[in-house]
Amino acid sequence: MRILLALLVALWAPAAGAQTLQDLLQQEPEAISDPSRRTVGEVLDRLVDSGLPEVPVFLERWQGKEVWQRKSDGLFFYAEEDGDGHVLYDISTGEEAGRTGPRELSELKPNAGVRGVIGSALIEFQLSDPDPARRQAALDAIAKDPAPEQAAPLRASLEGEEDPDLMARKERLLALLSARFDEDPAARVAAIEALGADISVEARAVLNQILASRPAVAATLPEDANVARLLVPGSADLPREAAYVMLVEAGLAPPRVTETEIRDALVASIADGMVGETPVATLGTDAARHAAYDAIAPARGLPPRVTEAEVDAAISTHVFWQGYAEPDATVTAAAQRALGTAETRVALWQGADLLLDAVSLASIYFLAAIGLAITFGVMGVINMAHGEFIMMGAYTGYVVQTLVPDYTLSLLLALPLAFAVTFAAGVAMERLVIHHLAHRPLETLLATFGISIALQQVAKNVFGTQARPLTSPAWLDGAWVINDVAGIAYIRIAIFVLALLFLGLLLFILKRTRLGLEVRAVTQNPGMAASLGINPDRIGMLTFGLGSGIAGIAGVAIGLYAKVTSEMGADYIVQSFMTVVVGGVGNVWGTLAGAGLIGGFQKGVEWLNPSNTLAAQTFMILFIIAFIQVRPRGIVAMKGRAAGA
Amino acid sequence: MTTAPSSTLRPRFVIAGNSSVLWALLVLALVTVGATVLAEAGMISTSFVKTLGKTLCLCLAAIAMDVVWGYCGILSLGHMAFFGIGGYAIGQWLMTARTTDIVTQNLAGQPLPPTPREIEQAVASQIFGVVGADDFPWIWAFSHSLALQLLMVVLVPGVLAGLFGWLAFRSRVTGVYLSILTQGMTLALSLWLFQNDSGLRGNNGLSGLQNIPGLDQWGQDRISLLFLWASAGALGAGYVLFAWLTSGRRGSAIRAIRDDEARLRFLGHGVEGLKLLVFTLTAVVTAIAGALYYPQAGIINPGEVAPLASIYLAVWVAIGGRGRLYGAALGAALVSLLSSWFTGGGAPDIPLGFYTIQWTDWWTVLLGLTFVAVTLWAPKGLGGLFDLVPSRKPRQGDWGPDDGAWRREEGQP
Amino acid sequence: MTALLHVDSISVSFDGFRAINDLSLTVEPTGLRAIIGPNGAGKTTFMDIVTGKTRPDSGRVLWGEKAQDLVGLSESRIARLGLGRKFQRPTVFEAQTVAENLDLALRNPRQPLRVLFARRTADDRARALAIAEEIGLLPHLHRRAGELSHGQKQWLEIGMLLAQDPRLLLVDEPAAGMTVPEREHTTDLLRRAAETRAVVVVEHDMEFVRRLDCRVTVLHEGRVLAEGSLDHVTSNPDVIDVYLGR
């Protein structure tokens, strides 16, 4: 075609030198105004070969249905609506070229097929466009819908590409196109093998496309079939029923008469309460119906029922296999190997991604649970309202954000404020309730539950049941993407850092300060601590405040990536309890280990069964119950006689 | 031996030995007969009769909870899981049988008599259409038989509680640790039920349970009375059973577990086994209560076995008064009736000028704070009021869980 | 005479601290025995191991004529074999009456199911009353144990041990916090009990031990330091060193 066109162009050559785009188009205006997929190629080649600089823009607008034709003289314009009429712009210069009244223009509406062809032609321009963004867009278009004819322009555009990233991407796309469409099998195999080192989704998609296969059946295996694997009828791969359906579809066996067809046939044959020789009333079982059908079938020309034995016979005399669409076995074998290599690497990266997810989940659990663990360790008290403190922290963040519009500033304000609010709430609760229930942990558990439901309902009454957003600052948006497989959102990294910060802070408080010394003394032996002049009341109060304050911080952190609702605390409380139970009591490291174990386990189960996070949680709780069998006192347990008391 | 009182440790029949049992049975009989008379006279509505019947079931669950917590000292935050299992077990039969009736009627109009397979398929697609399935899952294997499902009402919670209890008690998990584990158990169950592939219709739950197959000609007014009587009978029987369980040496041993299980162990008692017996028995009774409750409620869904429900059960028992069966029953009845009155919009709003307190919004807050107040200032709960009756001599063993359980060890894991 | 209890080179350590260090000890079927030693000598841990509360890292605890190893058995199993233990702090069921406390301890089948269907027989009653009389709590049968005085609680606990009818009684500091007449009563109780069974008293009050007038074992740092009559061990220079040397 190209040669033919070259000829054509040569014919027009004398005039071509002085031609404008308009002139070019006017040579065959119908091809522009009413193109078909078949004819548009010629026009396009002519436009491209003209070398006019305005051609790419024209093609783009043509494709985008932005070119108009004046009815009076058939000239083409770009146009803009203006009142009833249009303002016209010259297609070469882009300058304003007069106005029209209503109904004097007709819009060019090339159909989808034509637009596709125009698009391919455009790609050639776009691949060498000076604007890198447009080159990028062209490459994306190729990646989305690869076709054999894109290889040539892509290869041509390599020369002159200056952007190294785009260069790499062009080379990769070329490799992908080559792997799929190259006519030389050796070149294809080479390209495919190179893809083994590539874990991008694109590369794997290409390999999978090459390996596309479908089930097939025949009396004997054809010589030229490229067999992926043989299928055994009756196995999980190919159930017996499905195998027979394949035979029927291939015209190799008669269709089975379904129970519905039998019923319909019988119903159609009812006469005077009888079907043939059988009374209708007796047809209440499958066996009776079959017998009645068999009796009437020959006379009425109905197909005979296919017996189970016949089905088995038909299946056993045929071969079932999964066959590649790609006929060349060397290509599919290479693709199979390349996919194997790629998948091993993908699995490794998935492992890394899973680890990141687990660490991020663990940091959330750690933040949510550490306050609980501290109060439990020091006071032997489970605070059921801990989840509501998390919620209070989150709502504090929300309120701050409504008052301070700058997200970064409001976040920086919200963290200490949430700590202060929940610290105060915790101290108030300790003074008013828990203090009076000293040494009665079960009662404390229930009293704090009372507070929990009251707080939850108050939040519902004040803020409504609707979820409130807590927007993170822009610099926390987005994600750190390592490759197509592994990546992590910045917000989760921030939470991880926050968790680390609090781990460090707590360790510092517990190991390096007077308060920490006293807290540890009370944890290990309250009676002895009291006799040494440590005021357990004060320690209890401060610990409780500290634990609650951290819950507030956790609330802000959780609110940043999940919605703030009055029930959000309840979503985290049981997990927090489990973290404490698994981790062991009164030890920061224990809680860390517990959070790590639970986060890791939950992510692991989700990975095994990704569709079902509910199942993951069920399994996690069962796992914890089992875990307690092995280590009843958690990972980091207090030992010695004190532990047995 | 001169000064030994003659009644010391002499075995006596349960009912005679505990006047509260007689009183409780009397009150129960009065309520049941009274409600029946009033209902027949048309003075109370069918829905109120159902509420009464349901309340009696909750009372039964509450006294079971009282035995396991108030007497045996195990604060189970998972007993409503067994209640729900009972409901699901009976619901499976109700739904299957009811749908089979309807399907059979529908298919009767067909030209051919339906085959058993056709009926089963139609029933399955009716029941499981909402979760996109049209086959009976394995868990419905016995749903065609009332007798087998009734067996499941007892067997499933029994086995589950037995297994859970054996694992937990064997590893000597006590106190708040144990409470949290029981909470984990019920959470696991409710999460599992929420899934569509659990085979129990996911979050749709089972519905239409108020229609009792075979009793179509009865009408809901008579059915509600039937269930009221059944619930009252179960509560009465449960009360006597638990009064027996908490009397004599066995009761003494059970309370001893609550107060100091290590000591009891050194006396040679098999504490773990005894706890397991109490835990499993109360679980089974709770399941029976659930099996009677849900046909009156008409619908059950996984939300019913969420951890919150079990904590509310503990709240009722605490408000009513732990360590006495009538206290638990009283608490459950009062709080659940009040709760439905307040949340049902029965209570008048309180205008404060600047703000109107609507009880539908604020009842939970009131309940929570009341509960805190009861825990703080009235640990004996409503049942403690009976101790104020002057003619009554101090209750035997009345150091209840409030004082008797004064143990620092409890807080240790 | 064969030994009732033979503790065979047991050791146990908590977090690296060796509470019991290769301890061996033999207890005869009848008679009193006192174990003394300073704080931290491993007295209570020794009792914990024998009664099944703590499992030793190594060693055996052999019981009775058949030399059954007690290590690994549950506390209740060991108690049912005939081993009774009294704690340092009086631990009785304070919410229950004296009669109920004694009844719980009576030597009856104590497996869970047997307890569930147990009936209190006239014989049980008689035994409980007899013990109540012996410990001097007959007038208080119907009082709650929580209302008793400290000494009465101690006696009640000893009574509960007697009700168990054990072959070996392990008693931890029975005289702690008692008045002088109460001590005498306690001494009598223990001596009388020792006529038919073995009684091991753990004590660090020398005066009380002297009153018991029995064979004495001195523990120090988890091992036996000396054994013999009180006069014999108190003249032992090692013992003097341990008790007075620091």
Side-chain angles (χ1 to χ4, degrees):
Chain A
M1 193 161 88
R2 222 157 241 276
I3 300 167
L4 195 91
L5 274 163
L7 258 170
L8 255 172
V9 170
L11 273 175
W12 286 99
Q19 258 182 348
T20 64
L21 179 59
Q22 189 70 261
D23 297 335
L24 203 60
L25 297 178
Q26 289 304 328
Q27 285 166 6
E28 212 176 339
E30 310 81 55
I32 306 293
S33 57
D34 187 20
S36 76
R37 203 185 163 141
R38 199 171 42 78
T39 60
V40 74
E42 287 178 31
V43 179
L44 283 175
D45 284 343
R46 210 157 60 216
L47 286 173
V48 171
D49 290 345
S50 73
L52 290 169
E54 55 267 41
V55 167
V57 179
F58 175 77
L59 290 182
E60 213 169 287
R61 299 217 169 176
W62 189 18
Q63 188 191 23
K65 302 185 194 171
E66 289 166 27
V67 177
W68 302 68
Q69 188 176 27
R70 189 151 63 198
K71 287 178 184 168
S72 54
D73 54 9
L75 290 180
F76 298 101
F77 294 97
Y78 306 140
E80 222 170 61
E81 250 177 85
D82 179 41
D84 283 344
H86 287 87
V87 181
L88 301 179
Y89 299 94
D90 188 88
I91 52 171
S92 292
T93 59
E95 283 162 14
E96 200 174 317
R99 305 174 49 88
T100 61
R103 280 188 289 284
E104 284 176 34
L105 288 180
S106 62
E107 185 184 7
L108 301 191
K109 289 180 180 166
N111 64 33
V114 171
R115 287 206 308 277
V117 181
I118 301 175
S120 298
L122 256 176
I123 282 176
E124 206 173 324
F125 286 104
Q126 289 167 340
L127 284 174
S128 313
D129 196 287
D131 180 1
R134 302 188 66 157
R135 297 207 295 278
Q136 178 74 47
L139 291 175
D140 288 345
I142 294 179
K144 200 172 143 207
D145 187 17
E149 63 270 19
Q150 290 158 344
L154 187 58
R155 189 170 294 122
S157 76
L158 284 178
E159 201 175 326
E161 178 59 61
E162 284 158 1
D163 187 318
D165 287 350
L166 284 177
M167 188 69 187
R169 180 139 167 80
K170 279 182 177 178
E171 277 169 350
R172 185 155 101 207
L173 273 178
L174 203 55
L176 294 182
L177 288 175
S178 168
R180 263 194 85 182
F181 303 116
D182 205 306
E183 280 160 18
D184 175 14
R188 279 190 77 183
V189 170
I192 287 170
E193 275 167 355
L195 287 183
D198 191 339
I199 59 164
S200 69
V201 175
E202 275 169 16
R204 278 177 290 146
V206 164
L207 290 176
N208 279 317
Q209 274 157 351
I210 295 171
L211 289 173
S213 65
R214 54 188 206 84
V217 61
T220 51
L221 198 60
E223 290 285 323
D224 59 344
N226 187 1
V227 179
R229 64 196 146 87
L230 290 176
L231 297 173
V232 182
S235 67
D237 255 0
L238 182 68
R240 185 169 163 278
E241 287 302 314
Y244 194 77
V245 168
M246 276 176 69
L247 284 173
V248 172
E249 279 169 359
L252 297 170
R256 300 184 79 162
V257 183
T258 63
E259 299 294 344
T260 321
E261 284 163 353
I262 292 176
R263 196 191 61 213
D264 292 346
L266 293 177
V267 168
S269 315
I270 294 176
D272 301 332
M274 301 284 279
V275 173
E277 304 289 311
T278 327
V280 168
T282 64
L283 294 176
T285 64
D286 283 339
R289 287 188 183 181
H290 293 168
Y293 180 86
D294 290 347
I296 63 166
R300 294 180 184 261
L302 295 168
R305 283 192 310 119
V306 179
T307 63
E308 297 299 314
E310 284 164 343
V311 169
D312 286 335
I315 289 176
S316 65
T317 53
H318 288 89
V319 190
F320 298 81
W321 76 94
Q322 192 78 18
Y324 290 118
E326 167 65 49
D328 191 335
T330 55
V331 170
T332 50
Q336 195 70 262
R337 279 196 307 277
L339 196 62
T341 339
E343 269 168 2
T344 318
R345 297 168 127 249
V346 166
L348 286 175
W349 276 108
Q350 270 172 346
D353 186 54
L354 199 69
L355 204 67
L356 281 180
D357 276 358
V359 166
S360 126
L361 192 66
S363 13
I364 290 161
Y365 285 161
F366 175 76
L367 275 178
I370 183 66
L372 205 60
I374 297 173
T375 44
F376 189 26
V378 176
M379 308 170 74
V381 156
I382 279 277
N383 176 14
M384 296 287 279
H386 190 78
E388 276 55 51
F389 287 159
I390 293 179
M391 170 199 78
M392 271 167 98
Y395 272 118
T396 308
Y398 166 71
V399 171
V400 170
Q401 206 164 65
T402 54
L403 299 176
V404 182
D406 183 76
Y407 288 146
T408 307
L409 186 63
S410 71
L411 184 62
L412 290 179
L413 281 175
L415 285 172
L417 209 60
F419 185 88
V421 167
T422 47
F423 183 92
V427 168
M429 187 165 118
E430 204 277 336
R431 281 290 98 184
L432 294 175
V433 179
I434 293 170
H435 177 66
H436 300 285
L437 293 169
H439 304 304
R440 304 225 302 253
L442 291 184
E443 273 90 337
T444 313
L445 188 153
L446 288 170
T448 52
F449 169 72
I451 295 170
S452 147
I453 56 173
L455 280 179
Q456 210 179 97
Q457 187 64 42
V458 168
K460 210 174 277 177
N461 294 349
V462 173
F463 294 100
T465 47
Q466 188 194 351
R468 303 290 176 175
L470 193 58
T471 317
S472 54
W475 50 271
L476 275 180
D477 283 344
W480 175 42
V481 179
I482 304 167
N483 54 34
D484 278 7
V485 182
I488 184 167
Y490 287 134
I491 187 82
R492 284 174 174 262
I493 299 178
I495 291 174
F496 175 66
V497 171
L498 201 65
L500 276 187
L501 223 64
F502 270 90
L503 175 65
L505 187 70
L506 277 171
L507 286 175
F508 175 78
I509 291 180
L510 286 176
K511 307 262 165 174
R512 292 271 182 275
T513 64
R514 174 79 195 167
L515 173 69
L517 185 70
E518 293 183 358
V519 165
R520 278 183 295 147
V522 173
T523 311
Q524 277 161 17
N525 193 336
M528 180 71 94
S531 64
L532 288 173
I534 295 171
N535 180 355
D537 275 5
R538 195 181 70 94
I539 295 297
M541 197 175 74
L542 285 178
T543 319
F544 214 87
L546 184 66
S548 311
I550 297 176
I553 301 268
V556 177
I558 292 171
L560 281 178
Y561 82 92
K563 287 273 187 292
V564 183
T565 68
S566 58
E567 278 152 13
M568 66 180 289
D571 296 343
Y572 286 89
I573 190 71
V574 178
Q575 259 83 350
S576 305
F577 286 151
M578 296 298 164
T579 304
V580 175
V581 168
V582 168
V585 172
N587 189 308
V588 180
W589 295 112
T591 312
L592 189 66
L597 194 70
I598 290 185
F601 187 84
Q602 185 164 343
K603 279 292 157 194
V605 177
E606 273 175 31
W607 177 65
L608 292 175
N609 184 4
S611 62
N612 212 330
T613 50
L614 286 178
Q617 297 200 13
T618 312
F619 281 123
M620 185 188 74
I621 291 161
L622 294 180
F623 161 76
I624 289 167
I625 293 173
F627 179 85
I628 293 296
Q629 298 303 305
V630 189
R631 293 202 71 114
R633 286 169 199 287
I635 301 172
V636 180
M638 279 195 278
K639 284 191 199 142
R641 246 167 67 186
Chain B
M1 299 229 173
T2 46
T3 53
S6 59
S7 66
T8 304
L9 300 175
R10 177 165 292 174
R12 281 184 301 180
F13 188 55
V14 178
I15 296 181
N18 188 344
S19 66
S20 90
V21 177
L22 278 180
W23 279 110
L25 291 180
L26 193 65
V27 170
L28 182 61
L30 278 178
V31 168
T32 314
V33 173
T36 310
V37 171
L38 288 177
E40 291 292 327
M43 292 172 73
I44 54 177
S45 67
T46 300
S47 75
F48 188 72
V49 175
K50 283 191 176 183
T51 306
L52 270 184
K54 285 191 286 182
T55 307
L56 294 182
C57 296
L58 295 178
C59 290
L60 181 56
I63 59 173
M65 176 71 188
D66 192 21
V67 169
V68 81
W69 177 29
Y71 286 87
C72 198
I74 304 166
L75 174 53
S76 164
L77 296 181
H79 256 54
M80 280 311 252
F82 305 121
F83 194 81
I85 292 174
Y88 265 103
I90 198 69
Q92 283 182 307
W93 175 75
L94 284 170
M95 220 169 156
T96 309
R98 168 83 180 161
T99 315
T100 307
D101 282 358
I102 294 172
V103 162
T104 314
Q105 272 170 27
N106 288 349
L107 290 180
Q110 302 277 328
L112 294 186
T115 66
R117 187 183 44 77
E118 280 177 331
I119 293 177
E120 192 187 311
Q121 271 177 0
V123 172
S125 65
Q126 273 280 322
I127 297 181
F128 303 108
V130 287
V131 289
D134 50 7
D135 271 325
F136 273 96
W138 62 270
I139 207 164
W140 289 68
F142 303 131
S143 66
H144 56 275
S145 155
L146 175 60
L148 283 175
Q149 279 306 138
L150 284 178
L151 192 65
M152 290 301 128
V153 167
V154 176
L155 216 57
V156 175
V159 168
L160 184 67
L163 201 66
F164 178 86
W166 181 71
L167 287 174
F169 302 143
R170 194 184 71 99
S171 49
R172 300 268 170 97
V173 180
T174 55
V176 284
Y177 250 57
L178 184 59
S179 303
I180 295 306
L181 270 195
T182 54
Q183 194 179 27
M185 176 194 74
T186 188
L187 181 70
L189 183 73
S190 75
L191 288 176
W192 180 72
L193 287 173
F194 264 116
Q195 299 171 59
N196 282 347
D197 12 338
S198 70
L200 289 164
R201 306 200 342 145
N203 59 357
N204 303 288
L206 310 182
S207 54
L209 310 184
Q210 72 277 23
N211 304 305
I212 311 302
L215 297 182
D216 290 335
Q217 72 284 9
W218 273 37
Q220 285 296 319
D221 50 340
R222 304 258 324 260
I223 291 178
S224 66
L225 281 177
L226 175 75
F227 270 93
L228 177 69
W229 280 83
S231 307
L235 177 57
Y239 202 100
V240 173
L241 171 72
F242 287 135
W244 171 81
L245 187 68
T246 54
S247 67
R249 184 178 295 148
R250 69 193 83 79
S252 177
I254 289 170
R255 276 174 289 140
I257 293 176
R258 174 191 74 196
D259 293 341
D260 193 343
E261 66 171 67
R263 185 76 189 91
L264 193 65
R265 216 172 266 134
F266 284 117
L267 288 180
H269 284 268
V271 169
E272 281 68 40
L274 209 51
K275 275 178 166 180
L276 189 59
L277 279 172
V278 171
F279 190 74
T280 311
L281 185 65
T282 54
V284 168
V285 171
T286 312
I288 293 173
L292 283 166
Y293 179 93
Y294 286 104
Q296 304 181 69
I299 182 163
I300 180 171
N301 62 51
E304 306 271 319
V305 299
L308 200 63
S310 296
I311 305 185
Y312 270 115
L313 186 64
V315 170
W316 297 339
V317 174
I319 289 184
R322 278 161 296 158
R324 47 184 110 205
L325 298 177
Y326 59 88
L330 198 67
L334 197 76
V335 180
S336 71
L337 285 177
L338 268 182
S339 203
S340 51
W341 187 61
F342 273 112
T343 53
D349 295 346
I350 301 178
L352 294 178
F354 58 95
Y355 185 82
T356 305
I357 292 184
Q358 287 175 320
W359 284 116
T360 43
D361 285 344
W362 287 94
W363 155 247
T364 318
V365 180
L366 180 70
L367 178 66
L369 296 180
T370 309
F371 183 49
V372 176
V374 165
T375 319
L376 278 179
W377 294 304
K380 287 181 187 175
L382 290 172
L385 295 176
F386 287 84
D387 291 349
L388 301 178
V389 179
S391 65
R392 234 174 146 266
K393 62 174 188 210
R395 205 160 61 99
Q396 192 87 340
D398 175 40
W399 267 37
D402 36 320
D403 298 323
W406 198 99
R407 290 167 33 220
R408 64 172 346 108
E409 283 90 341
E410 212 173 13
Q412 301 290 345
Chain C
M1 205 155 64
T2 56
L4 176 63
L5 177 77
H6 179 61
V7 175
D8 185 14
S9 59
I10 50 172
S11 298
V12 68
S13 54
F14 304 120
D15 274 340
F17 165 69
R18 302 205 77 154
I20 296 282
N21 197 355
D22 198 25
L23 174 73
S24 293
L25 199 89
T26 304
V27 177
E28 311 298 337
T30 59
L32 261 175
R33 163 76 74 94
I35 295 182
I36 61 172
N39 275 330
K43 291 170 299 190
T44 303
T45 307
F46 160 73
M47 302 231 297
D48 282 348
I49 288 172
V50 172
T51 53
K53 190 177 174 192
T54 302
R55 189 185 280 239
D57 297 338
S58 63
R60 296 181 302 169
V61 179
L62 302 176
W63 169 258
E65 293 74 20
K66 292 183 202 152
Q68 185 182 3
D69 194 352
L70 298 184
V71 172
L73 297 186
S74 70
E75 295 99 313
S76 52
R77 224 8 241 299
I78 293 176
R80 286 201 291 271
L81 284 174
L83 233 144
R85 174 170 184 185
K86 193 202 144 314
F87 288 86
Q88 200 167 329
R89 262 189 312 148
T91 46
V92 294
F93 301 109
E94 306 211 338
Q96 306 199 24
T97 62
V98 171
E100 282 172 319
N101 266 293
L102 290 175
D103 179 68
L104 264 185
L106 281 178
R107 183 176 177 181
N108 281 323
R110 279 159 294 181
Q111 289 87 348
L113 274 173
R114 303 289 292 272
V115 171
L116 195 62
F117 295 106
R119 296 189 70 86
R120 287 172 177 157
T121 61
D123 176 49
D124 292 342
R125 223 183 123 217
R127 276 154 67 202
L129 291 181
I131 290 166
E133 182 157 41
E134 183 168 359
I135 57 175
L137 290 179
L138 202 51
H140 305 291
L141 266 184
H142 274 292
R143 288 181 64 195
R144 273 199 305 267
E147 300 169 359
L148 300 177
S149 73
H150 181 78
Q152 284 170 325
K153 282 184 194 167
Q154 296 275 34
W155 295 333
L156 174 57
E157 201 178 359
I158 293 175
M160 286 162 76
L161 284 183
L162 295 177
Q164 271 180 276
D165 194 16
R167 296 179 63 191
L168 170 62
L169 250 169
L170 293 168
V171 188
D172 202 350
E173 300 197 12
M178 281 192 177
T179 60
V180 174
E182 282 174 344
R183 277 169 184 241
E184 269 164 19
H185 186 134
T186 308
T187 319
D188 288 346
L189 274 176
L190 293 176
R191 264 214 218 96
R192 229 175 308 141
E195 282 164 14
T196 50
R197 60 184 53 117
V199 177
V200 174
V201 179
V202 168
E203 188 55 83
H204 62 212
D205 180 346
M206 283 293 190
E207 213 32 59
F208 185 76
V209 174
R210 187 173 300 281
R211 206 189 295 268
L212 288 176
D213 185 26
C214 62
R215 195 175 158 81
V216 174
T217 304
V218 185
L219 287 193
H220 177 58
E221 290 180 347
R223 66 173 82 218
V224 176
L225 191 65
E227 206 166 54
S229 71
L230 186 64
D231 291 332
H232 173 77
V233 298
T234 46
S235 59
N236 183 320
D238 288 345
V239 177
I240 296 171
D241 201 37
V242 164
Y243 266 87
L244 305 171
R246 28 189 119 151

